[in-house]
């Protein structure tokens, strides 16, 4: 017996990734994929990689129409659009996994400060922030999942064990992250052209990226106190992957081996978090195409800082893969069902 | 009940790819992976992408020792080395899938002209050339598979329908191919360094590449007559993928639609060959990480030539994936068992 | 005393390349660069690489206004637009170097078949096809230069010596070319996005690319007879560079050394053509950022074919560099004035 | 009248870059380039990009032989080797520009802790640290230049104005840097292979990179007090470029515009430092192939931190270009002589 799923907004890279994963998921039937731009066009014509994997054509259907035929819907829409669509599915009793930012911030004022006016704010309180490694039980019973941002996922998983154990001077946290270009989506803009990106590397939106309040919300929750963080995103000349290099001053004396053990314990039993061997840190190429988050932790006794490096595939653990992981939890399936393919290397 | 497999020479890119595929194959147990260089080192330490996927450590074992514990062995060795190892496994009654060139050429003199002296030439006649789409029945009963070269796979699958239907002036065949760098292996040589390859594109071994006689052998067999081909390999600044652009003069009048249909029919029912829509030709990025061979066929009435473009992932359909496809055939499994993951795009 | 130059349509990659070269040219003053989109914006704001190199801001001026202040104008416009603008400059007595296709084809019907209706066809006969290595004297006295296409430049220079010496069966010529993405321009289209291009390789416009008649026109002129060629462009995941691998059957017996010598002689004294050592063929990375065309010639006695490989930087020798070379000729300057920077490697 | 220069150890990427720059330098004659590996081989055979630019062949000569024929020698050697060679040139009265680390650290104990035993420690005190923007006068009269490391150059230039003006809590300085692969040299090692680097991004030598003491030495000197910094290098999948993102807590209230002005003033008149427009930060692709260092400064009032981003080409301003800039100073030439080529973009 399979779960009927639909994807609303399925023509971008995240939408494609959802189709890629769901088309190979043994317990799922993908019943609809929407796109205004490509309505009527077979998915495999837009994405030839999917030829033979799906016979779906994109439809331009209303949320009501889609809701009538599915159990779970994935919203792969820009922020501001999800908030218009999600309520229809919630009202229809469907499980909603929203990959936009619209239900991630629990504080309405914060959302409206960083994003825009919210038109379905009443749903914010019912949404569960979908990092299974932290909120597994809440997710199982959720009707609306706020699927985390890509940068936040890498940073939150990287810091959670240290924060829960009260090891850090939280006022010193700096997250220096770099993302592959697929994070910018498939819209044709000059800044995402091959010639603009290849051979380049730059910071962007320094001090202003919208993932900042999401990162702070979750880190504050883990630490049990409010604080601000510095978060600097960079654009990498790669298609997939986020690496976050996170700095903080240690407020306790802890030996490197102890710290490593603490991380290993924190994620023991997790199928999608891998702790690097002592002294090692991860490479995004080691998680490419997979739902893994790889984490390495290094102490720098010269400066009394800890340097935590975490790597994910922004389209998988940072978006579509985590969304399917959430769906598996909701549906009572094994958490790695349909997500077990090893990373593609090299 | 699972098949016990071993990989002899498992520390290169092809060896790693075999481990990647076999570790996720539902009917296989990977019992040993050999490497002289990395003996004693966990596979996941050499290839962190495989952390959590295999707990094997490399061993430096003799063929006899390996043979005693496996049903099927994959030889991912350089040519000249396989010929020393394969006989041990054959004598021990194991199924051998050899990914080197040592048993591909049926004519000993041709082998020795292009490669080197052969030390187990008696086995050449017992080897089956392992392209399932052409020699499925022979493969099922084979004890020694000569797994095809990467370039030859792309060219042979691209030309087979046209040659079988006697459409081409065979004296005009030119195959212009380009391969990703993983085809050069993981040995540290200057020519494979990032700085030498990135931003570059060049032909190499023009008129002299060792895959030429293998291509000719199979094309001649398909056409039923002897002829030479021009084959020019190029080095692409990508990790994976081979694109072959193949030219030949048509000797019959055939409408483009007819030709397309002929290709569709030739590969009807094949799980790993996808024919592009009329007028379209493939991109290597659409087969990345998968065992697919995508083929597009275009007629050029101005010159009376046909231009056939085929795309494979050199490490999958061009090496490890085809090897596992052959193993599935030998073992009586579904041909795509363990090979069903969709291509990774973007 | 410096030449006053202007660039009409200077916000694309070719326009930028002209600014880059001209801003460092010792005998040139760049007086204006036009762009409708960026009117009023400093060039160095659009292209930060040029900060400190030019203080120009883009202007949205009429051709008449621009003509009044310059000696030479470069038109870096799409085909169809140049033909509207060029006549103004010609009438004003300015030297015009047109980088579009509008004046390259001497046969009006051919132009209109492959491109569009021509609105200043009377100028076609006055235009000189601007490959200095072939038409140096005509260029010196020209008022309107049809600056060659990027693919044609690489193919024509590659074949010229062999055709002039009547070595080839011209009915067998096939040019298999691959270009970096900058050849597609800076317009934001999905097909030029980093995620669509990186890791990929594909043929495009097979049998239909508009450079085909331009290639045929010039090859026919060199051979002194009409014939068609097969030309297949491919898209490379690099920013700059074109490699053309050209195939033809030899109709005369010629030793490889003789052929190499013939090429060396043909281009003796040329500052921008480099013949590879015997047996070697070029890499686009060896000409990156320079006006060089590197050519290697290999004989394949097995098939009696010659394989000629030529490499250029599509933005330099394939566009802006050749345009400046033409300007130098017109202005009586040393041909490599402002073009002497070595290739950038790695 | 031209300066006679030689390069000792000229077969790596830095050596090649020196040849590239010096071969186009109007006041320089390059008289010798040494290489043990390539002795007797023309430079242009090893680096075809230099065909027609230099007719030199590599020689395997002693320092004494080289010293007898040159005015200035560049040592592009590994640390530990320079210290054996430099004394010969100094004794012979030649100007020495050493691109290794051997004379950069003024404190012998620090050198020997991070590197190795020093065999010509007596020269350390006579060496001048070669950042012209900071030590121009000392460089003019120096006989031995310790040419700075690539990472240190980017970080020191980025922080100098803020430190000189006492704006920062120096205990909070963190430099998060990323370098292109050419920084790892041309030695064939697995970690520099295309397939290992492309699509990847990782930190390396976390808390242990040898450039740390060099960075600290110079930052301490600028601030006038001792302190440690956290420095984390990363490996970028690009050929050239270093981006450093530098974090520090502001200890004074300063408006962003004031800070920008302070940076502009600090580098007023410098030909190779470009300050980004307010709020903007640089991209390594905007300095590629040039000797520029681009710097952007952003204040983050939420955390009271300043974020300074600097970009250089590691082979030019980070090595060979800065070396030639130093040579120009020593020789009394214009500082940008031979270094004026604009960056290559895209």
């Amino acid at each position: 017996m399979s779960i009927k799923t639909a994807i609303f907004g399925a023509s971008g890279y995240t939408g494609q990734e959802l189709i890629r994963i769901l088309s190979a998921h043994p317990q799922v039937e993908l019943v609809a994929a929407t796109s205004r731009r490509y309505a009527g066009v077979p998915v495999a014509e837009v994405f030839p990689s999917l030829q033979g994997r799906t016979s779906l054509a994109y439809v331009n259907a209303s949320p009501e129409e889609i809701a009538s035929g599915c159990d779970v819907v994935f919203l792969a829409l820009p922020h501001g659009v999800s908030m218009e669509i999600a309520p229809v599915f919630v009202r229809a009793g469907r499980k909603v996994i929203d990959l936009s930012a619209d239900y991630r911030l629990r504080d309405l004022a914060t959302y409206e400060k960083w994003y825009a006016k919210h038109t379905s704010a009443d749903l914010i309180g019912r949404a569960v922030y979908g990092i299974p490694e932290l909120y597994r039980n809440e997710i199982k019973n959720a009707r609306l999942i706020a699927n985390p941002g890509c940068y936040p996922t890498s940073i939150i998983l990287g810091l959670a064990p240290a924060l829960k154990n009260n090891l850090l001077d939280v006022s010193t946290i700096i997250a220096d992250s770099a993302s592959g270009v697929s994070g910018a989506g498939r819209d044709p803009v000059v800044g995402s052209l091959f010639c603009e990106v290849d051979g380049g590397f730059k910071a962007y939106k320094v001090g202003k990226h919208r993932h900042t309040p999401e990162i702070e919300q979750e880190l504050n929750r883990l630490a049990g106190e409010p604080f601000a963080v510095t978060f600097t995103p960079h654009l990498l000349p790669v298609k997939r992957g986020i690496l976050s290099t996170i700095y903080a001053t240690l407020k306790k004396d802890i030996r490197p081996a102890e710290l490593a053990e603490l991380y290993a314990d924190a994620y023991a039993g997790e199928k999608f978090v891998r702790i690097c061997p002592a002294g090692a840190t991860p490479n995004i190429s080691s998680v490419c195409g997979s739902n893994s988050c790889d984490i390495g932790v290094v102490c720098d006794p010269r400066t009394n800082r800890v340097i935590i490096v975490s790597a994910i595939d922004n389209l998988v653990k940072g978006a579509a893969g985590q969304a399917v992981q959430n769906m598996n939890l909701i549906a009572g399936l094994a958490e790695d069902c349909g997500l077990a393919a090893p990373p593609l290397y090299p």
Side-chain angles (χ1 to χ4, degrees), chain A:
Chain A
M1 204 215 67
S2 68
I3 305 158
K4 291 196 162 124
T5 61
I7 305 167
F8 218 93
S11 65
Y13 289 132
T14 299
Q16 186 275 150
E17 189 72 356
L18 281 164
I19 301 175
R20 186 181 75 85
I21 294 172
L22 294 173
S23 71
H25 192 295
Q27 303 290 327
V28 158
E29 184 189 353
L30 179 59
V31 297
T34 83
S35 165
R36 267 182 295 202
R37 186 178 178 190
Y38 293 115
V41 181
V43 167
E45 197 175 310
V46 178
F47 298 108
S49 59
L50 293 171
Q51 199 188 335
R53 306 298 177 157
T54 178
S55 54
L56 276 185
Y58 285 111
V59 293
N60 182 9
S62 68
E64 288 80 3
E65 289 170 288
I66 298 298
S68 72
C70 72
D71 304 315
V72 179
V73 69
F74 297 89
L75 307 182
L77 298 163
H79 72 86
V81 180
S82 270
M83 63 170 79
E84 307 284 349
I85 304 285
V88 178
F89 288 97
V90 172
R91 278 196 303 268
R94 304 295 170 249
K95 305 285 189 174
V96 177
I97 299 173
D98 177 27
L99 287 91
S100 88
D102 282 354
Y103 302 102
R104 292 180 195 153
L105 298 181
R106 272 181 291 279
D107 184 66
L108 178 62
T110 304
Y111 180 88
E112 298 197 332
K113 179 182 163 205
W114 288 81
Y115 289 90
K117 180 108 190 79
H118 208 300
T119 61
S120 58
D122 55 307
L123 285 183
I124 292 176
R126 296 171 62 185
V128 172
Y129 191 75
I131 292 200
E133 289 75 10
L134 299 180
Y135 306 118
R136 185 166 282 119
N137 289 331
E138 294 86 332
I139 291 165
K140 283 179 182 167
N141 301 305
R143 311 201 43 179
L144 171 57
I145 299 287
N147 210 62
C150 48
Y151 285 121
T153 295
S154 72
I155 294 166
I156 295 162
L157 289 174
L159 280 168
L163 288 175
K164 282 180 177 174
N165 286 276
N166 197 22
L167 298 177
L168 308 180
D169 174 350
V170 292
S171 73
T172 64
I173 295 175
I174 293 171
D176 186 286
S177 300
S179 173
V181 192
S182 59
R186 203 172 183 243
D187 284 337
V189 295
V190 168
S192 298
L193 292 178
F194 184 88
C195 288
E196 303 292 315
V197 172
D198 188 59
F201 187 57
K202 63 169 184 179
Y204 65 98
K205 295 185 188 165
V206 179
K208 295 183 299 202
H209 194 283
R210 282 165 164 164
H211 282 174
T212 307
E214 181 181 343
I215 294 164
E216 290 178 347
Q217 166 183 291
E218 294 301 315
L219 298 187
N220 291 356
R221 181 147 64 147
L222 286 162
E225 57 175 318
F227 56 88
V229 301
T230 290
F231 163 58
T232 311
H234 296 72
L235 185 68
L236 274 175
V238 305
K239 294 188 288 189
R240 289 166 174 258
I242 284 181
L243 194 86
S244 288
T245 303
I246 309 164
Y247 302 90
T249 301
L250 284 162
K251 68 180 184 194
K252 292 194 182 162
D253 234 27
I254 184 165
R255 283 172 304 106
E258 229 178 312
L259 189 60
E261 203 178 333
L262 185 146
Y263 265 74
D265 288 354
Y267 290 118
E270 291 296 344
K271 286 176 172 166
F272 295 120
V273 180
R274 307 189 294 189
I275 306 301
C276 297
T281 55
N283 190 325
I284 55 169
S285 61
S286 291
V287 298
C288 181
S290 85
N291 201 46
S292 285
C293 175
D294 286 8
I295 301 174
V297 184
V298 177
C299 292
D300 181 10
R302 298 175 65 261
T303 59
N304 198 33
R305 290 196 182 98
V306 65
I307 298 141
I308 302 161
V309 187
S310 74
I312 60 170
D313 182 322
N314 59 300
L315 289 181
V316 191
K317 186 62 176 170
Q322 186 146 268
V324 172
Q325 188 182 357
N326 283 317
M327 182 204 73
N328 286 341
L329 281 170
I330 290 172
L333 300 171
E335 204 163 319
D336 64 348
C337 191
L339 293 169
L344 189 70
Y345 178 87

